Amino acid sequence: MTTTVKAKHFLAAQCRLGEGPRWHPDERRLYWLDIEQHSLYRLDPASGQPPERFDIGLPVGCLAFREKGGL
């Protein structure tokens, strides 16, 4: 049996160079980076609200979740 999955565009993030999407299963939020704008984004898809944007101040190319919380 073949299963077809259809992708759905749900957010126009307006990033210059969006990279490194990571889903946080406990928070149920999506995190990603905009390398050129030195920003970290966090989205709660269930809220219907725009993503939160955090200015890092420097180019950052990856992120990871820590076992005890935080990034």
Side-chain angles (χ1 to χ4, degrees):
M1 176 177 8
T2 302
T3 302
T4 302
V5 177
K6 190 171 185 175
K8 178 182 172 188
H9 182 262
F10 69 94
L11 178 68
Q14 303 298 316
C15 292
R16 288 190 203 156
L17 183 56
E19 292 284 346
R22 298 286 312 242
W23 178 254
H24 194 294
D26 295 335
E27 292 182 12
R28 302 186 55 83
R29 287 180 169 79
L30 180 66
Y31 287 77
W32 72 93
L33 302 165
D34 185 336
I35 297 170
E36 288 188 7
Q37 294 191 67
H38 311 163
S39 299
L40 167 72
Y41 289 87
R42 178 173 60 188
L43 174 70
D44 177 358
S47 74
Q49 297 297 311
E52 297 174 89
R53 179 183 177 273
F54 304 92
D55 183 19
I56 305 300
L58 297 167
V60 58
C62 65
L63 66 100
F65 303 121
R66 295 172 22 163
E67 258 186 64
K68 295 183 180 181
L71 299 172

